[in-house]
């Protein structure tokens, strides 16, 4: 049977395009994100570069390079294979390690459950028990106290409530 009408044509793996992410390790401390951006732009259009700070006890740092969507995957992987173990001048003669990161499924957004009025009241009761010194049964009274409190300016001037 031939291809199903209306179905997308199969993609030749040689022309497959998509997003690729790599981890670059063995980086000298002086290597900048700009160095990495220029270097890996040879393999495909770079979307982002993030160099991680050096961990204590480790002589080198690592970086993550993300290539843009629609990057030709085969060409990019071939170029990365040639860059693996290379010693770029900006890395002071130390061989870099290039490893493609596995493509992960996007994370599902957590569904947050809304609090019912009863649950809110129960939570507030517990908080009032835990923090008894901060009782505010009447929020309006608290707002009024804040509005009429002595300001620093009035205290500096030496004005009392009656003088204001």
């Amino acid at each position: 049977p031939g291809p199903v009408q209306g179905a997308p044509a199969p993609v030749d793996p040689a022309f497959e395009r998509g997003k690729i992410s790599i981890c670059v390790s063995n980086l000298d401390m002086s290597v900048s994100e700009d160095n990495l951006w220029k270097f890996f732009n040879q393999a495909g259009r770079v979307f982002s570069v993030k160099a991680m700070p050096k961990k204590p006890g480790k002589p080198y740092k690592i970086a993550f390079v993300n290539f843009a969507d629609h990057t030709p995957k085969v060409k990019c992987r071939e170029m990365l294979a040639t860059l693996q173990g290379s010693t770029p001048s900006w890395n002071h003669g130390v061989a870099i390690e290039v490893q493609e990161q596995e493509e992960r499924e996007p994370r599902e957004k957590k569904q947050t459950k809304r609090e019912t009025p009863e649950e809110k009241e129960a939570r507030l009761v517990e908080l009032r028990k835990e923090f008894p010194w901060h009782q505010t049964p009447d929020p309006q009274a608290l707002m009024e106290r804040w509005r009429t409190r002595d300001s620093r300016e009035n205290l500096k001037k030496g004005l009392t409530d009656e003088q204001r």
Side-chain angles (χ1 to χ4, degrees):
V4 178
Q5 194 165 3
V11 177
D12 182 355
F15 297 104
E16 183 183 4
R17 293 174 172 266
K19 191 184 295 186
I20 293 181
S21 297
I22 61 168
C23 176
V24 187
S25 55
N26 259 9
L27 296 173
D28 189 71
M29 293 310 301
S30 63
V31 174
S32 69
E33 290 179 357
D34 191 46
N35 293 130
L36 294 167
W37 195 287
K38 289 175 184 171
F39 187 71
F40 284 100
N41 228 11
Q42 301 170 41
R45 197 174 69 138
V46 173
F47 176 71
S48 68
V49 174
K50 178 66 179 167
M52 305 306 288
K54 177 185 167 288
K55 288 188 175 180
K58 301 275 185 172
Y60 299 107
K61 65 181 181 178
I62 65 170
F64 296 96
V65 179
N66 296 306
F67 292 92
D69 285 342
H70 309 298
T71 300
K73 287 186 172 184
V74 171
K75 177 187 172 247
C76 187
R77 286 183 178 125
E78 287 172 358
M79 182 66 112
L80 293 174
T82 60
L83 296 176
Q84 169 63 23
S86 64
T87 54
S89 60
W90 46 260
N91 203 34
H92 302 289
V94 177
I96 60 172
E97 292 181 24
V98 180
Q99 188 176 35
E100 185 175 347
Q101 299 294 290
E102 292 180 15
E103 199 169 320
R104 296 188 307 190
E105 294 294 319
R107 293 182 183 172
E108 287 186 28
K109 194 173 184 180
K110 277 188 175 179
Q111 293 292 329
T112 54
K113 183 182 149 198
R114 291 200 149 241
E115 191 175 44
T116 65
E118 294 81 22
E119 291 170 330
K120 181 179 179 181
E121 188 57 37
R123 183 175 53 84
L124 290 174
V125 166
E126 289 300 314
L127 284 172
R128 286 186 191 113
K129 286 179 190 173
E130 191 175 343
F131 303 104
W133 62 87
H134 196 277
Q135 295 290 330
T136 54
D138 184 14
Q140 283 303 114
L142 179 66
M143 295 298 289
E144 184 63 25
R145 271 189 299 172
W146 273 96
R147 192 178 64 73
T148 59
R149 74 183 192 283
D150 289 332
S151 67
R152 287 186 181 158
E153 294 82 28
N154 288 336
L155 290 173
K156 283 181 186 175
K157 293 176 192 173
L159 298 175
T160 62
D161 288 339
E162 294 80 34
Q163 293 173 328
R164 281 183 275 182

